[in-house]
C-alpha cells in the first residue's frame, strides 16, 4: 500500500500554526483553568493576532479539544502506513499501539488538571463534538485501506465502532483514579469488538438457560 502523500510547504506551515495554537490553548487551560484563558492569551502565547487564531478555530474550546482530532489524524496516517497484507482489524490495533507508545503516559498532576478541565460544560460539549468530527476522516481511511470495492457504509460502521470505543474508554478514564491514559482500555474494547464481544455474549449465553428454567418452574 502506498504511503499518504506529503502535503506541500504552505499546507505544512498551516498545520504547524494550527498545532501550535492548539497546544498553547491546552497548556494554558490546564495551567489556569478554562475561565481564566481568553483567545487573546492563546494568540499571544504563539505570537499571532486573535484574528489569525480565528482563521483556525471558532472558539477557545475548539482549540483546546482539537488534540482529539490530532490523535485520530495520526491514527489515520499510521493505519494507512501499515503493510497491505495485514488484516484490517489487526492494522487498526497495531496503529493504535504505535500511537500509544509515541505519546507515553501522563503524570499524576497532568491527569488531575485534565479531569478538572473537562468538568467545564463548554469544554466537555466540545470534546463530544470533536469525537463526532473525526469519524468521517477515519471512515475514509478505513475504506482506502480496504480497497476500491469497499462498501462505504461498512467503513462508516467500523469507524463508528472505533469512535464509540474511544469515547467509552475516555469516559472510563475520566471516572477512574488511574494514572495511565485511556489507550489501554481503548485497545481492549477494540479487541472485544474485533472478536464479536465474546466476553459479553458468553455471559448472556450462560444466563439464558437459567432464566428459562426459572420461568418454567
Amino acid at each position: 500500500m502506498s504511503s499518504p502523500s506529503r502535503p506541500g510547504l504552505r499546507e505544512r506551515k498551516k498545520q504547524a500554526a494550527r498545532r501550535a495554537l492548539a497546544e498553547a490553548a491546552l497548556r494554558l487551560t490546564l495551567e489556569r483553568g478554562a475561565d481564566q484563558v481568553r483567545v487573546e492569551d492563546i494568540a499571544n502565547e504563539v505570537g499571532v493576532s486573535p484574528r489569525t487564531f480565528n482563521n483556525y478555530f471558532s472558539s477557545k474550546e475548539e482549540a483546546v479539544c482539537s488534540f482529539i482530532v490530532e490523535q485520530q489524524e495520526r491514527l489515520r496516517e499510521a493505519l494507512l502506513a501499515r503493510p497491505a497484507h495485514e488484516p484490517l482489524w489487526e492494522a487498526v490495533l497495531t496503529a493504535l499501539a504505535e500511537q500509544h507508545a509515541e505519546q507515553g503516559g501522563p503524570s499524576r498532576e497532568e491527569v488531575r488538571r485534565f479531569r478538572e478541565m473537562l468538568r467545564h460544560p463548554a469544554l466537555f460539549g466540545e470534546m463530544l463534538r470533536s469525537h463526532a468530527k473525526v469519524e468521517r476522516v477515519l471512515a475514509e481511511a478505513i475504506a482506502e485501506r480496504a480497497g476500491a470495492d469497499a462498501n462505504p457504509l461498512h467503513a462508516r460502521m467500523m469507524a463508528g465502532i472505533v469512535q464509540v470505543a474511544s469515547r467509552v474508554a475516555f469516559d472510563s478514564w475520566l471516572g477512574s483514579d488511574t494514572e495511565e491514559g485511556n489507550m489501554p482500555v481503548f485497545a481492549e474494547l477494540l479487541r472485544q469488538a474485533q472478536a464479536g464481544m465474546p466476553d459479553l455474549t458468553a455471559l448472556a449465553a450462560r444466563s439464558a438457560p437459567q432464566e428459562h428454567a426459572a420461568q418454567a418452574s
Side-chain angles (χ1 to χ4, degrees):
M1 176 174 294
S2 60
S3 58
S5 59
R6 182 176 173 81
L9 178 60
R10 182 178 180 183
E11 183 61 28
R12 292 200 303 274
K13 286 183 176 180
K14 289 173 63 177
Q15 291 174 353
R18 178 182 173 89
R19 187 173 298 112
L21 287 165
E23 290 174 354
L26 181 58
R27 183 176 64 255
L28 290 175
T29 301
L30 288 173
E31 291 173 357
R32 304 179 187 178
D35 291 330
Q36 305 304 318
V37 177
R38 304 172 303 163
V39 167
E40 290 82 356
D41 299 325
I42 301 168
N44 288 339
E45 189 77 5
V46 180
V48 300
S49 67
R51 181 176 180 179
T52 298
F53 174 93
N54 290 328
N55 289 336
Y56 293 96
F57 299 106
S58 62
S59 67
K60 68 178 183 182
E61 290 83 9
E62 183 185 4
V64 170
C65 293
S66 65
F67 75 93
I68 296 171
V69 180
E70 287 277 343
Q71 284 181 345
Q72 294 292 20
E73 286 178 346
R74 289 195 294 271
L75 177 59
R76 174 189 180 277
E77 292 168 2
L79 173 59
L80 292 177
R82 297 301 305 164
H85 66 272
E86 197 170 44
L88 184 54
W89 270 115
E90 184 178 340
V92 170
L93 287 165
T94 304
L96 181 65
E98 291 175 350
Q99 182 177 331
H100 177 56
E102 290 175 2
Q103 290 176 347
S107 68
R108 182 187 294 271
E109 180 62 17
E110 287 172 334
V111 169
R112 185 191 68 77
R113 290 182 177 181
F114 197 82
R115 287 173 174 151
E116 183 67 27
M117 180 188 77
L118 287 180
R119 291 192 180 99
H120 193 279
L123 280 172
F124 189 76
E126 184 61 43
M127 183 198 71
L128 295 179
R129 283 190 289 272
S130 296
H131 276 292
K133 286 178 187 177
V134 297
E135 185 175 313
R136 176 184 57 81
V137 175
L138 188 57
E140 291 173 354
I142 290 171
E144 182 176 344
R145 168 83 195 193
D149 295 331
N151 187 322
L153 294 179
H154 295 171
R156 285 181 59 188
M157 182 65 181
M158 187 171 183
I161 291 171
V162 173
Q163 279 307 111
V164 169
S166 174
R167 189 170 68 249
V168 170
F170 197 83
D171 289 346
S172 174
W173 175 75
L174 284 178
S176 71
D177 58 1
T178 180
E179 293 182 36
E180 274 192 309
N182 64 314
M183 284 294 180
V185 175
F186 187 10
E188 173 57 24
L189 290 174
L190 289 183
R191 282 191 288 269
Q192 284 287 319
Q194 175 192 18
M197 304 300 292
D199 292 353
L200 189 63
T201 55
L203 287 173
R206 285 200 299 269
S207 65
Q210 297 174 4
E211 293 180 2
H212 180 73
Q215 292 172 357
S217 60

